């Protein structure tokens, strides 16, 4: 006698449940996980040096695009920071400063909510400028 299948769509159900749990877990993971640039980002080298001309151009970009959240001194205390659902971080700390220029370049280019992505808004050179400017916050 043929074994009766009480759950004819058991396999489909199992598959759907797996997919749903996967989506929920990855959303949770993204929310909770520390933001890390991929290792490959380190290989990208900063074409700029921290000379006075670069710093002054860099400051202009930073003030316009970044300061509202990251604050004048990079402490994450800009006027818009209080509206964010996540702290904007403190650029003066080793946690930020120990990352390579390439890693910072990658993060600024990609963004991560609520931080916007800048790869369409700024040129590569401007993004490198903001990296140079971020280094001036080092303590
Ligand atoms: C709307 C607010 C906002 C703006 C504007 C903004 N950021 Fe951010 N930024 C954030 C938030 C929030 C985080 C933390 C994101 C996270 O951890 O997921 C962050 C994180 C970062 C990080 C990662 C720091 C670390 O320690 O890993 C870098 C680098 C950064 N921002 C650079 C910039 C630069 C440069 C600009 C301007 C070109 C900029 N941000 C503009 C909100 C902002």
């Amino acid at each position: 006698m043929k074994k009766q299948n009480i759950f004819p769509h058991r396999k489909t159900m199992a598959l759907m449940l797996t997919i749903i749990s996967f989506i929920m877990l990855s959303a949770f993971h993204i929310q909770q996980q520390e933001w890390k640039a991929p290792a490959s980002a380190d290989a990208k080298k900063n074409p700029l040096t921290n000379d006075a001309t670069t710093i002054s151009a860099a400051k202009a970009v930073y003030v316009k695009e970044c300061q509202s959240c990251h604050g004048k001194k990079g402490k994450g205390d800009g006027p818009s920071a209080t509206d964010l659902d996540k702290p904007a971080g403190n650029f003066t700390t080793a946690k930020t400063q120990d990352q390579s220029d390439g890693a910072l370049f990658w993060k600024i280019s990609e963004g991560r909510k609520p931080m916007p992505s800048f790869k369409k808004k700024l040129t590569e050179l401007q993004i490198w400028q903001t990296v140079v400017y971020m280094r001036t916050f080092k303590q």
Side-chain angles (χ1 to χ4, degrees):
M1 198 174 90
K2 195 171 168 249
K3 209 173 153 193
Q4 209 180 352
N5 194 348
I6 4 172
F7 302 112
H9 299 297
R10 208 164 41 181
K11 276 190 180 155
T12 323
M13 294 260 293
L15 183 68
M16 275 173 62
L17 275 174
T18 312
I19 293 170
I20 291 168
S21 343
F22 183 75
I23 292 170
M24 283 172 63
L25 271 172
S26 16
F28 182 73
H29 199 66
I30 289 168
Q31 265 283 307
Q32 299 297 312
Q33 230 208 5
E34 194 186 318
W35 193 14
K36 280 196 109 160
S40 58
D42 293 337
K44 206 163 167 138
K45 295 286 171 253
N46 192 340
L48 302 172
T49 55
N50 63 342
D51 57 275
T53 320
T54 302
I55 299 279
S56 80
K59 184 176 182 179
V61 180
Y62 182 85
V63 168
K64 183 160 180 275
E65 305 290 349
C66 323
Q67 188 165 293
S68 62
C69 293
H70 288 291
K72 221 176 173 144
K73 304 251 186 256
K75 291 195 171 158
D77 55 356
S80 306
T82 44
D83 300 334
L84 302 172
D85 55 17
K86 200 192 268 174
N90 184 343
F91 293 163
T92 68
T93 61
K95 188 172 172 283
T96 300
Q97 294 295 336
D98 285 352
Q99 297 176 52
S100 68
D101 280 7
L104 297 176
F105 179 93
W106 183 89
K107 288 188 175 181
I108 301 160
S109 305
E110 300 302 320
R112 182 168 94 154
K113 250 180 140 182
M115 155 125 179
S117 152
F118 283 97
K119 64 183 164 202
K120 297 220 175 84
K121 199 161 185 199
L122 298 176
T123 63
E124 287 215 351
L125 209 67
Q126 287 175 313
I127 296 177
W128 283 123
Q129 287 173 338
T130 62
V131 172
V132 170
Y133 200 69
M134 279 182 68
R135 296 298 184 199
T136 67
F137 298 135
K138 187 173 178 170
Q139 274 176 357

